[in-house]
């Protein structure tokens, strides 16, 4: 029955069936497996992918479990085909997923842009590994933060979430499906080889803990339906999927509200792209997800995400024990960027350290947002090496104007 | 091909709204943007004819296309659910659609560059899976939309803008490739053979499994300008004079077949189709899962 988008509940029988297949309520899982579990609990019924370390376990888990739940698992010939099939499946009405790592994520970029342009809900798990190129296949990295944001050509917005634990791999993948439907946009779950491969305790969410955002269907007759016209403040148009007699026209070309191409009209292009961007940025506050610790009286702070946050929190706790007013801001929602949280922090503290497993990516975005009174330093670690707590605490204690400590370089 | 439609269409361009096939088209998109003499219009006509003959409601069709003039044959003109995708990837998108909507007819129309060039790998694997898709590859021997560069199907020796002295590469025999890869139905026709073409299209749509029709179609503008064949009829004459039925071709040597267009049905089988098998696994698994 067509109706407005909204958080409804998954039907209980489906939930129970999924739980039966997943087994124990509490288990000890790898992050990649937890992503697969999160997807199934989100109602994912289509997966297409291509094997790649360190993401393969997501595919393998789904290959085993999806047939038992009536879903479709397809191994495609490459990652370009995988994301293409995922988009096609979404237009066929399914909740669809692919999982990959750097090389595959690079191959997907053109079609991720297509998903943004055609407003196709879908989820991409990117278990980041060390690059560029084939790099260090088994080593974790956070090198795709900017590629996630800017990897396809043209202007667009993307939603990205960065879990830091196996439990969050499940929770964030589940959430990603709901956000994809709510905003009619691809959502990227940005884990890394460390989070993806480590094992931790996971507790399956209870039935009433699971939100289920249903796809918003048109309420008007096919003749009156404009698939790319926003009908309310959300700017997200209802989506008539294929096979529902709406005869929907979908293209990656610049299009009118009807979906039909219009390729040399600057006004139409500006209108379309502005809406696609604003339907995300207008909801920046709702899409902001952070973890804040020790910030109330903080004088220096670390801004961190993913696996690095586990180490950073340890460092901050140690400093607190030593009486240092150190704070911790963890970004869970990466894109759209949680601007307000970062700006506010920058106004309160004199120094921000940004440890990343890359040579400095989100640090640039952070620098743009904070006032000059706040010193922002990158703290890179590449090669698959997760930071040590002592590196982070010593960076937090180091005034940038004073000489750099041995073995550390600020970018 | 001109992508813009800023000119007002001539009064009589889509006048014949009583035409039997008119109802299949999105009226607001007419006239088509194809160049004068282009084979794309013939293919659109043959396709609509095939759908009509089958009494197949357009609500039961999903059209999937790539990028290129040929991809514009159904998109946006043919009024069905349509996914106009990225260059070369139509078959991969179509795979996702078909797996999740097996009751729909999923039909791909795109060019030789799209399907056999940039999308060649998807072509091989879709055929190998024998997934129930229907593919009409419009082979105009070049990249028409981008202005006439050589494509994987450009005849050896031909002049194009990127083989200005002559093409040194032999052309890909796409239909033969698809037949070898495992498709259930493969045929080849030209825009000269309008009626057998429409029949083959009709047959391909109803055939279960991967079905593929290579349609040799003229591009008198981008390709024709380089080989000095500037009108549609130059090509139709060539197709008439050089085509040979596959039954006759089987009697001839490879040398005798150089420069011939072999038309007709290359292969027909009844191998089991992919999506059916995929869901069979599901029912086996749900049968003994608890
Ligand atoms: C990834 C990518 N590469 C290149 C292009 C440019 N491009 C657009 S159409 C086309 C050729 C199309 O040739 P074909 O599929 O044979 O279609 P035709 O125009 O000949 O009918 C190319 C190369 C593109 N759109 N995308
Ligand atoms: S460029 Fe060639 S293929 Fe494209 S519309 Fe013109 S004649 Fe047809
Ligand atoms: Mg071509």
């Amino acid at each position: 029955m067509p109706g407005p988008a909204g958080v409804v509940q998954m039907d209980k029988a489906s939930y129970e069936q999924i739980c039966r297949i997943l087994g124990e309520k509490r288990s000890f899982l790898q992050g990649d497996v937890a992503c697969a579990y999160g997807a199934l609990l989100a109602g994912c019924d289509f997966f297409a992918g291509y094997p790649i370390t360190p993401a393969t376990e997501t595919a393998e888990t789904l290959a085993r479990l999806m047939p038992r739940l009536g879903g479709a698992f397809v191994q495609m010939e490459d990652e370009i085909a995988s994301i293409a099939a995922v988009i096609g499946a979404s237009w066929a009405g399914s909740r669809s997923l692919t999982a990959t790592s750097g090389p595959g994520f690079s191959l997907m970029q053109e079609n991720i842009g297509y998903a943004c342009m055609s407003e196709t809900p879908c989820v991409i798990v990117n278990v980041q590994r060390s690059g560029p190129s084939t790099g260090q296949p088994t080593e974790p990295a956070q090198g795709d933060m900017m590629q996630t944001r800017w990897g396809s050509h043209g202007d667009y917005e993307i939603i990205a979430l960065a879990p830091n634990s196996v439990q969050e791999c499940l929770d964030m993948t589940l959430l990603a499906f709901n956000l994809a439907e709510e905003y009619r946009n691809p959502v990227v779950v940005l884990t890394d080889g460390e989070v993806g491969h480590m094992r931790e305790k996971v507790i399956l969410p209870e039935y009433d803990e699971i939100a289920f955002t249903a796809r918003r269907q048109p309420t008007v007759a096919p003749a009156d339906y404009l698939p790319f016209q926003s009908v309310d403040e959300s700017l997200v148009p209802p989506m008539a999927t294929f096979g529902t007699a709406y005869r929907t026209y979908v293209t990656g070309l610049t299009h009118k509200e009807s979906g039909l191409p219009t390729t040399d009209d600057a006004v139409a292009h500006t209108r379309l792209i502005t809406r696609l961007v604003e339907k995300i940025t207008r909801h920046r506050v709702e899409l902001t997800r952070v973890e804040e610790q020790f910030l109330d009286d903080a004088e220096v702070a670390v801004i961190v995400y993913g696996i690095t946050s586990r180490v950073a929190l340890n460092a901050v706790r140690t400093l607190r024990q030593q009486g240092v007013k150190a704070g911790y801001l963890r970004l869970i929602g990466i894109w759209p960027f949680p601007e307000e949280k970062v700006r506010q922090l920058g106004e309160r503290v004199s120094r921000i350290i940004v440890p990343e497993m890359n040579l400095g990516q989100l640090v640039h975005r952070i620098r743009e947002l904070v006032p000059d009174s706040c010193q922002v330093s990158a703290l890179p670690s590449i090669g698959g090496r997760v930071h040590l707590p002592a590196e982070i605490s010593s960076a937090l204690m180091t005034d940038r104007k004073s000489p750099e400590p041995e073995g550390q370089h600020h970018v | 091909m001109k992508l813009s439609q800023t000119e007002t269409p001539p009064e009589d361009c889509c006048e014949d709204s009583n035409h039997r096939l008119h109802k299949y088209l999105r009226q607001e998109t007419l006239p088509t943007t194809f160049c004068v003499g282009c084979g794309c219009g013939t293919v659109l006509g043959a396709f609509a004819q095939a759908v009509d003959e089958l009494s197949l409601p357009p609500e039961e069709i999903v059209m999937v296309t790539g990028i290129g003039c040929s991809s514009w044959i159904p998109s946006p003109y043919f009024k069905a659910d349509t996914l106009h995708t990225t260059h070369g990837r139509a078959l991969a998108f179509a795979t996702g659609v078909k797996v999740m909507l097996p009751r729909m007819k999923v039909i791909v129309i795109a060019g030789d560059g799209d399907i056999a060039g940039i999308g060649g790998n998807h072509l091989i694997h879709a055929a190998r899976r024998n997934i129930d898709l229907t593919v009409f590859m419009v082979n105009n021997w070049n990249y028409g939309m981008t202005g006439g560069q050589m494509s994987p199907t450009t005849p050896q020796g031909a002049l194009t803008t990127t083989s200005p002295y002559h093409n040194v590469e032999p052309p890909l025999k796409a239909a033969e490739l698809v037949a070898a890869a495992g498709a259930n139905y493969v045929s080849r026709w030209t825009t000269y053979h309008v009626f057998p073409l429409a029949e083959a299209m009709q047959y391909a749509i109803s055939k279960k499994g991967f079905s593929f029709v290579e349609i040799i179609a003229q591009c008198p503008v981008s390709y024709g300008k380089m080989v000095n064949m500037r009108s549609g009829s130059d090509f139709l004459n060539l197709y008439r004079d050089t085509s040979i039925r596959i039954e006759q071709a089987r009697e001839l040597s490879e040398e005798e077949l150089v420069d011939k267009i072999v038309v007709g049905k290359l292969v027909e089988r009844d191998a089991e189709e992919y999506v059916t098998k995929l869901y069979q696994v599901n029912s086996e698994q749900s049968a003994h899962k608890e």
Side-chain angles (χ1 to χ4, degrees):
Chain A
M1 200 39 215
V7 180
V8 295
Q9 217 143 21
M10 177 185 250
D11 73 283
K12 190 142 193 189
S14 308
Y15 170 80
E16 280 165 0
Q17 195 199 1
I18 296 164
C19 287
R20 256 197 314 279
I21 301 287
L22 297 187
E24 300 290 310
K25 261 263 143 82
R26 285 162 173 274
S27 47
F28 195 61
L29 301 176
Q30 271 192 328
D32 284 358
V33 175
C35 286
Y37 280 30
L40 293 174
L41 285 163
C44 171
D45 54 358
F46 183 86
F47 178 93
Y50 187 85
I52 187 166
T53 305
T56 306
E57 291 83 353
T58 304
E60 288 175 339
T61 306
L62 291 169
R64 193 163 48 78
L65 300 181
M66 283 184 98
R68 302 171 65 190
L69 288 163
F73 173 92
V74 182
Q75 182 168 313
M76 294 300 289
E77 51 275 16
D78 59 36
E79 289 87 347
I80 302 176
S82 302
I83 181 72
V86 158
I87 296 168
S90 183
W91 278 99
S94 81
R95 289 161 88 86
S96 59
L97 171 76
T98 185
T100 189
S101 185
F105 193 57
S106 295
L107 283 179
M108 289 181 187
Q109 291 304 324
E110 185 194 10
N111 283 340
I112 292 175
Y114 181 90
C116 292
M117 189 64 148
S118 59
E119 301 183 68
T120 309
C122 58
V123 178
I124 301 140
V125 172
N126 177 8
V127 189
Q128 295 172 92
R129 73 188 219 186
S130 175
S133 189
T134 316
Q136 299 169 291
T138 59
E139 297 296 336
Q142 295 166 339
D144 307 348
M145 308 310 290
M146 285 300 180
Q147 190 190 15
T148 300
R149 176 65 188 84
W150 301 108
S152 202
H153 53 286
D155 298 299
Y156 65 98
E157 285 286 334
I158 196 114
I159 299 173
L161 305 164
N164 77 346
S165 68
V166 175
Q167 180 70 50
E168 273 194 2
C169 284
L170 186 153
D171 298 341
M172 292 299 128
T173 308
L174 201 165
L175 173 66
F177 278 89
N178 287 334
L179 295 178
E181 294 297 339
E182 187 168 350
Y183 295 98
R184 255 186 89 173
N185 212 73
V187 178
V188 182
V189 181
L190 274 170
T191 76
D192 60 67
E194 197 68 36
V195 175
H197 273 172
M198 71 188 184
R199 284 171 200 272
E200 286 184 313
K201 182 181 78 179
V202 170
I203 302 174
L204 300 186
E206 294 299 330
Y207 176 62
D208 47 21
E209 287 169 355
I210 297 183
F212 182 89
T213 306
R215 185 165 297 179
R216 187 177 188 181
Q217 308 287 336
T219 48
V220 297
D224 303 321
Y225 173 57
L226 294 171
F228 297 92
Q229 185 189 48
S230 79
V231 293
D232 58 26
E233 298 267 280
S234 76
L235 303 182
V236 184
M239 179 175 176
T241 47
F242 291 168
T244 55
Y246 275 81
R247 299 204 245 175
T248 310
Y249 182 83
V250 184
T251 179
L253 288 161
T254 293
H255 43 276
K256 303 179 249 190
E257 278 82 2
S258 62
L260 295 173
T262 169
T263 54
D264 55 4
D265 178 347
V267 176
H269 182 82
T270 309
R271 191 168 58 232
L272 171 66
I273 301 303
T274 307
R275 181 176 64 74
L276 296 189
V277 165
E278 280 188 3
K279 77 174 178 180
I280 306 295
T281 55
R282 191 182 269 195
H283 301 280
R284 195 186 296 277
V285 175
E286 293 98 297
L287 285 165
T288 290
R289 279 181 181 74
V290 295
E291 181 194 347
E292 298 168 289
Q293 299 231 32
F294 309 109
L295 286 184
D296 290 344
D297 61 345
E299 289 164 1
V300 294
V302 59
I303 300 185
V304 70
Y305 54 90
I307 187 65
T308 321
S309 64
R310 308 270 291 252
V311 183
L313 186 57
N314 182 306
V316 168
R317 283 205 179 109
T318 310
L319 287 178
R320 281 279 165 177
Q321 279 159 13
Q322 295 163 8
V324 179
K325 291 191 170 159
Y328 163 95
L329 176 64
R330 169 162 79 103
L331 312 183
I332 302 170
I334 305 292
W335 306 115
F337 201 69
E339 291 180 356
E340 216 31 56
K341 291 284 178 189
V342 170
R343 189 179 290 123
Q344 283 166 7
L345 183 63
E347 279 160 8
R348 295 212 311 269
V349 298
S350 63
R351 186 182 313 137
I352 289 174
I353 300 298
V354 188
E356 296 183 87
M357 292 177 71
N358 56 52
L359 287 183
Q361 296 198 6
L362 292 192
V363 66
H364 296 292
R365 194 73 193 87
I366 293 165
R367 274 205 191 108
E368 278 173 15
L369 291 162
V370 304
D372 289 345
S373 56
C374 178
Q375 199 184 88
V376 178
S377 298
L379 184 64
S381 176
I382 60 171
R385 199 180 140 276
V386 182
H387 298 71
L388 297 173
E391 291 167 350
I392 296 174
S393 48
S394 103
L396 278 165
M397 295 296 290
T398 308
D399 189 330
R400 203 177 169 203
K401 284 154 214 138
S402 64
E404 308 236 317
E406 188 98 36
Q408 222 171 60
H409 71 116
H410 293 135
V411 176
Chain B
M1 179 169 179
K2 54 173 176 23
L3 272 183
S4 66
Q5 275 189 332
T6 37
E7 301 146 50
T8 357
E11 288 273 303
D12 61 346
C13 85
C14 31
E15 180 116 300
D16 191 4
S17 52
N18 293 325
H19 193 285
R20 181 167 59 85
L21 302 177
H22 204 253
K23 59 175 186 252
Y24 294 108
L25 305 181
R26 285 192 170 89
Q27 306 305 322
E28 67 275 30
T29 62
L30 299 174
T32 71
T33 51
F34 303 125
C35 307
V36 173
C38 176
C40 288
T42 310
V43 178
L44 176 57
F47 175 61
Q49 167 79 20
V51 170
D52 197 57
E53 289 286 335
L54 287 168
S55 306
L56 178 61
E59 289 81 2
E60 293 173 16
I61 300 175
V62 180
M63 299 302 312
V64 185
T65 72
I67 299 292
C69 298
S70 309
S71 290
W72 279 67
I73 290 170
S75 160
Y77 310 118
F78 191 85
K79 195 172 176 191
D81 282 331
T82 304
L83 200 58
H84 192 131
T85 70
T86 48
H87 189 32
R89 315 302 168 194
L91 284 169
F93 281 86
T95 298
V97 175
K98 183 66 191 183
V99 167
M100 295 317 283
L101 271 179
R103 71 185 155 84
M104 302 285 279
K105 291 279 182 199
V106 181
I107 304 171
V108 174
I109 305 184
D112 51 312
D114 192 280
I115 294 211
I118 188 167
N121 198 34
H122 308 309
L123 177 64
I124 295 169
H125 292 284
R128 174 181 64 82
R129 287 184 194 104
N130 196 25
I131 182 170
D132 188 20
L133 299 174
T134 305
V135 181
F136 300 127
M137 187 189 89
V138 180
N139 182 357
N140 54 18
W141 297 337
N142 83 130
Y143 291 130
M145 179 170 271
T146 40
Q149 298 75 31
M150 67 170 186
S151 82
T153 59
T154 301
Q156 191 156 347
L159 302 183
T160 71
T161 61
T162 51
S163 57
Y165 305 111
H166 69 92
N167 177 22
V168 298
E169 300 182 19
L172 180 73
K173 294 179 178 171
E176 284 78 357
L177 173 79
V178 173
N184 261 0
Y185 174 79
V186 180
S187 67
R188 183 191 290 116
W189 292 100
T190 81
T191 45
Y192 172 75
H193 304 89
V194 184
F195 293 105
L197 170 63
E199 264 171 50
M201 291 176 97
Q202 189 183 327
Y203 196 78
I205 295 169
S206 26
K207 180 79 189 175
K208 196 99 178 132
F210 194 80
S211 38
F212 183 87
V213 182
E214 176 178 352
I215 306 166
I216 311 288
Q218 70 276 19
C219 169
V221 174
S222 291
Y223 186 75
K225 72 177 178 202
M226 293 298 285
V227 296
N228 209 14
M229 292 171 73
R230 287 168 194 271
S231 82
S233 54
D234 290 342
F235 284 89
L236 296 181
N237 290 335
L238 178 78
Y239 299 161
R240 181 195 59 209
D241 298 341
T242 59
S243 60
I244 172 170
R245 295 278 175 154
I246 187 154
E247 296 77 12
Q248 287 166 280
R250 289 201 176 107
E251 312 286 310
L252 300 180
S253 70
E254 217 167 290
E255 276 124 56
E256 287 170 306
L257 285 173
V258 171
D259 295 333
K260 291 272 189 291
I261 302 171
V262 178
V263 296
K265 181 165 80 184
L266 277 76
V267 89
E268 180 165 11
R269 328 182 162 92
D270 287 301
E272 233 192 317
E273 183 273 330
Y274 169 74
V275 182
T276 320
K277 288 191 284 182
L278 187 117
Y279 286 111
Q280 262 160 20
V281 172
N282 286 13
S283 31
E284 287 157 23
Q285 288 314 308
S286 49
H288 47 82
K289 74 180 171 216
E290 275 155 54

